[in-house]
Amino acid sequence: MEKIIEESKQGESLVLENKPENTKKLFIESYGCAMNFSDSEIVASILSSNGYNTTQTLEDADLVLVNTCSIRDKAEQTIRKRLEKYNAVKRINPKMKVGVLGCMAERLKEKFLDEEKIVDLVVGPDAYKDLPNLLSEVEEGRDAINVILSKDETYGDISPVRLMSNGITALVSITRGCDNMCTFCVVPFTRGRERSREPQSIIKEIQDLWEKGFKEITLLGQNVDSYLWYGGGLKKDFTNASEMQQATAIDFDQLLEMVAVGFPKMRIRFSTSNPQDMHESILHVIAKYPNICKHIHLPVQSGSNRILKEMNRLHTREEYMSLIDKIRAMIPNVSISQDMISGFPTETEQDHQDTLSLMEYVKYNFGYMYSYSERPGTLAGRKMKDDVPEIIKARRLQEIVDLQQKHAWFRSEEFIGQIVEVLVEKVSKKSTEEFSGRNSQSITVVFPKENYKIGDFVNVKITSCTSGTLKGEAVGLSEMNLKNQPQIAQISANSFL
C-alpha cells in the first residue's frame, strides 16, 4: 500500500528506439507502482543489449513479459486475464515465449510454472540481470526461474532505457526493498530487505538525463527517507559497518541536497515517504532549495491508533499529526497526499471515524484510497481474519473518498489568484489548444498554449479550478528556463565519498 499506483498507466505496452542489429521482438507490459515501471526500463535495457527490439503488437512478439504487482487482489486478477490473452496468442504462434516479472512472479512462482503451466519463465525483482541466461534455458526447452532476493542488487550499473518517455520527466531509483514489515504489505517478501544505491551512480544517471534534455526527476524507492549508503549491503546491517563506513555514510537529506545543488535547473521530486523516517533535516533541505518540489506523499493508512498498531505502523496518530504541523510550519506552500485503507481486520466504526477526523485535521490535497484486500504471505493474511464485511468496507471507503474530494476542492481553491510555476509535459487531453503540466505541489495545471512549448517552465496565474485541476493564463517563462546549469554534480558527489 505504500506504493502509488497510477491507474491511467496500468498495462502500458512499452516501446524504445529500435537497434537495426537486433532481430527479436519484445512486448512488455507493466502493472503496479512507479517502481515496476522503472524496473521495466531496466529490463528493456538489458534485453536491448541481447538482441531484442520492442514492439507494441502482441502478435508479432518473440518474447512477452508482464511486470506484475501483488499489492492488491484486483491487480493480480488483471494480470491473470492478460496471461490468458498471451496464451491465446501463443497457441497461434507457438514460438512465442511468455514470462512473468516482479512481485507476483516471486510470490506465485510454482503456481505459474508447475501447476498452471501458463508461462515459460519467472523472474523476480532482483534477478533481471539473469534474463539472458534464463532465456537460453527456455530456448533449449526448459522452464526457467530465478526469484532469489539479493542483499546488494540495486541495478546501479545499468542505464535504464526510457520507455514511453515524454523526454521531460524520468524516474531514478535510489533504494530497493523495505524493512518496515507492515502487516498488510507484501513488499518485504517480494522485493526483499532495504538496500540503497551508490550516490555516484545516482548522480551519473541524473547527469545523463540532464544532458538528454530531461527537466524533472523523481527519486524513487519504497521508503526514500530511509536511504542510507555506507558502502553497500542491507540497511539493517549498518550497525555492523566499520567506524569509517558509519562516519562517512550518506543519508537521504544529504543525497537530496547533493542532487539539488548539482542540478539547480532540474526539478526534483521523491516518493514514497514513511512518517517515522521523515526527519526534520529532510524538511530543511526541501525548504531551502526552490528546485525541490513542495509536495510530500506521506502514507498514513489509518487514523486509529489501535489499527495503526495492528498494521505494525511505526507511528501513532498524534506523532503523525505533529509531523504534519512541522511540515506546514517549515514549508508553508507544501501539498500533502495520503494512502488510506478502509476495512482493515477488526476495524470498528470508531476506528473509521478516527480516520475521517484525521483527514479533517490534515485536509490532504489528494490521496490513494483502497479497501483492504488480504494478501497471502503477509502477517495480516496469516494471522488476522478478514472480518469486515465487503459492504461495510465499500461504504467506509466511499466516505473516505467523498471527504477527500471535499478537501481536494478546498486545497485547489487556495491556488486561485496565485502565480504558480508549471513544467509543461503534454497537450491537454480536453483541448489541443491547451498545455498540461504540474506545479511544484504536483497539482495538474492547464493553460492556453500561446507560444510556449513542451519542456518549458511557465509561470501561470490560476483563475479557476476543479477538485483535481487548476486552470489559468500564462504570464511568462520562469527563471528555471535559464541555461546556466553548473556542471558540478560529479564534484558534489565526490565530496561526500
Side-chain angles (χ1 to χ4, degrees), residues 303-304 317 347-360 395-396 399 403:
S304 162
R317 169 191 176 94
E347 183 185 72
T348 65
E349 195 61 32
Q350 183 57 55
D351 295 324
H352 172 60
Q353 292 301 319
D354 287 347
T355 292
L356 297 179
S357 68
L358 177 70
M359 292 178 67
E360 285 284 10
R395 189 261 299 168
R396 290 176 183 170
E399 290 178 5
L403 186 58

Side-chain angles (χ1 to χ4, degrees), residues 253-268:
D253 60 301
Q254 291 172 300
L255 177 69
L256 189 59
E257 185 164 31
M258 184 193 306
V259 176
V261 171
F263 303 92
K265 298 303 176 185
M266 184 177 254
R267 256 194 192 173
I268 303 156

Side-chain angles (χ1 to χ4, degrees), residues 162 165-172 205-219 259-260 262-270 290-293 421-426 436-440 452-458 477-485:
R162 302 298 163 178
S165 171
N166 57 11
I168 306 300
T169 64
L171 304 171
V172 177
E205 183 175 338
I206 298 171
Q207 181 73 42
D208 180 64
L209 290 166
W210 170 257
E211 291 170 357
K212 290 177 179 176
F214 285 79
K215 302 295 182 69
E216 178 183 290
I217 54 113
T218 299
L219 303 177
V259 176
F263 303 92
K265 298 303 176 185
M266 184 177 254
R267 256 194 192 173
I268 303 156
R269 299 187 187 276
F270 58 90
N291 58 327
I292 300 178
C293 289
E421 182 185 78
V422 180
L423 173 57
V424 182
E425 297 181 33
K426 59 188 177 182
S436 174
R438 287 177 297 164
N439 63 3
S440 177
Y452 300 103
K453 62 184 185 297
I454 291 175
D456 282 344
F457 288 98
V458 181
L477 291 169
S478 84
E479 293 183 356
M480 282 287 283
N481 290 284
L482 298 176
K483 301 299 182 183
N484 61 338
Q485 168 83 343

Side-chain angles (χ1 to χ4, degrees), residues 107-153:
R107 197 174 71 76
L108 296 174
K109 47 191 179 291
E110 290 89 358
K111 199 171 185 66
F112 283 154
L113 274 176
D114 300 329
E115 296 177 29
E116 300 182 13
K117 301 186 185 301
I118 55 176
V119 298
D120 301 291
L121 71 159
V122 176
V123 189
D126 290 351
Y128 298 142
K129 286 182 182 176
D130 198 30
L131 267 167
N133 296 328
L134 296 172
L135 288 169
S136 296
E137 291 285 306
V138 170
E139 290 297 328
E140 293 176 14
R142 294 186 291 271
D143 290 336
I145 182 170
N146 186 341
V147 293
I148 296 171
L149 294 175
S150 170
K151 293 182 179 181
D152 303 298
E153 183 58 79

Side-chain angles (χ1 to χ4, degrees), residues 297 336-340 364-370 404 408:
H297 182 64
I336 301 173
S337 54
Q338 46 88 346
D339 283 358
M340 203 74 74
Y364 296 99
N365 293 77
F366 54 95
Y368 302 86
M369 296 149 285
Y370 316 101
Q404 180 55 58

Side-chain angles (χ1 to χ4, degrees), residues 142-306:
R142 294 186 291 271
D143 290 336
I145 182 170
N146 186 341
V147 293
I148 296 171
L149 294 175
S150 170
K151 293 182 179 181
D152 303 298
E153 183 58 79
T154 62
Y155 300 110
D157 58 335
I158 294 175
S159 179
V161 174
R162 302 298 163 178
L163 298 164
M164 296 294 288
S165 171
N166 57 11
I168 306 300
T169 64
L171 304 171
V172 177
S173 176
I174 67 167
T175 72
R176 296 183 73 82
C178 186
D179 286 348
N180 287 331
M181 300 298 173
C182 298
T183 58
F184 55 79
C185 187
V186 297
V187 168
F189 309 105
T190 58
R191 287 188 174 271
R193 301 301 293 267
E194 189 174 320
R195 64 270 190 207
S196 297
R197 181 178 166 191
E198 182 186 23
Q200 281 186 313
S201 73
I202 296 170
I203 294 296
K204 182 179 178 182
E205 183 175 338
I206 298 171
Q207 181 73 42
D208 180 64
L209 290 166
W210 170 257
E211 291 170 357
K212 290 177 179 176
F214 285 79
K215 302 295 182 69
E216 178 183 290
I217 54 113
T218 299
L219 303 177
L220 191 66
Q222 257 75 36
N223 186 10
V224 291
D225 299 315
S226 65
Y227 175 92
L228 182 65
W229 173 260
Y230 62 96
L234 299 178
K235 183 181 178 182
K236 73 181 183 66
D237 294 333
F238 178 64
T239 53
N240 300 324
S242 67
E243 288 186 15
M244 178 62 73
Q245 285 177 315
Q246 294 192 26
T248 58
I250 297 175
D251 56 19
F252 184 60
D253 60 301
Q254 291 172 300
L255 177 69
L256 189 59
E257 185 164 31
M258 184 193 306
V259 176
V261 171
F263 303 92
K265 298 303 176 185
M266 184 177 254
R267 256 194 192 173
I268 303 156
R269 299 187 187 276
F270 58 90
S271 186
T272 294
S273 295
N274 246 14
Q276 72 270 17
D277 296 303
M278 176 60 77
H279 302 302
E280 191 170 315
S281 57
I282 298 171
L283 302 179
H284 281 295
V285 175
I286 298 170
K288 182 177 180 180
Y289 294 97
N291 58 327
I292 300 178
C293 289
K294 306 305 185 269
H295 165 235
I296 297 174
H297 182 64
L298 198 63
V300 62
Q301 310 301 358
S302 173
S304 162
N305 277 334
R306 192 185 68 81

